[in-house]
Amino acid sequence: MKLDLKLVLPYVVIIASIAMTWGMWSERLQAVESKADTVTQIQQDIAVIKEKIMWMESYLMGDN
């Protein structure tokens, strides 16, 4: 059984294209997950800052 290069080459190209596409999609997914983690951390930081500002306003107005 002899493999003909003309027969095998299109399948090799298709498999290589699928592998490259899979790699690009997984890389993009990792980037989106990283950005989502960053946004979550920013939201937590904003909540802490807001709480501290509210405490400072309360303290400076003499409500405590």
Side-chain angles (χ1 to χ4, degrees):
M1 181 173 149
K2 186 176 179 184
L3 291 175
D4 187 18
L5 187 58
K6 291 180 184 178
L7 180 65
V8 174
L9 193 58
Y11 295 109
V12 171
V13 170
I14 291 171
I15 291 171
S17 298
I18 290 171
M20 288 173 57
T21 302
W22 179 266
M24 290 170 53
W25 276 107
S26 58
E27 185 175 325
R28 287 182 182 179
L29 182 60
Q30 289 175 353
V32 168
E33 289 174 348
S34 174
K35 287 181 182 181
D37 291 343
T38 301
V39 168
T40 302
Q41 184 62 43
I42 290 171
Q43 288 174 333
Q44 291 172 352
D45 291 345
I46 289 172
V48 169
I49 292 169
K50 182 178 178 182
E51 184 67 31
K52 288 183 179 184
I53 289 174
M54 289 172 52
W55 178 85
M56 288 171 58
E57 286 177 344
S58 169
Y59 181 76
L60 291 175
M61 296 295 182
D63 291 340
N64 61 7

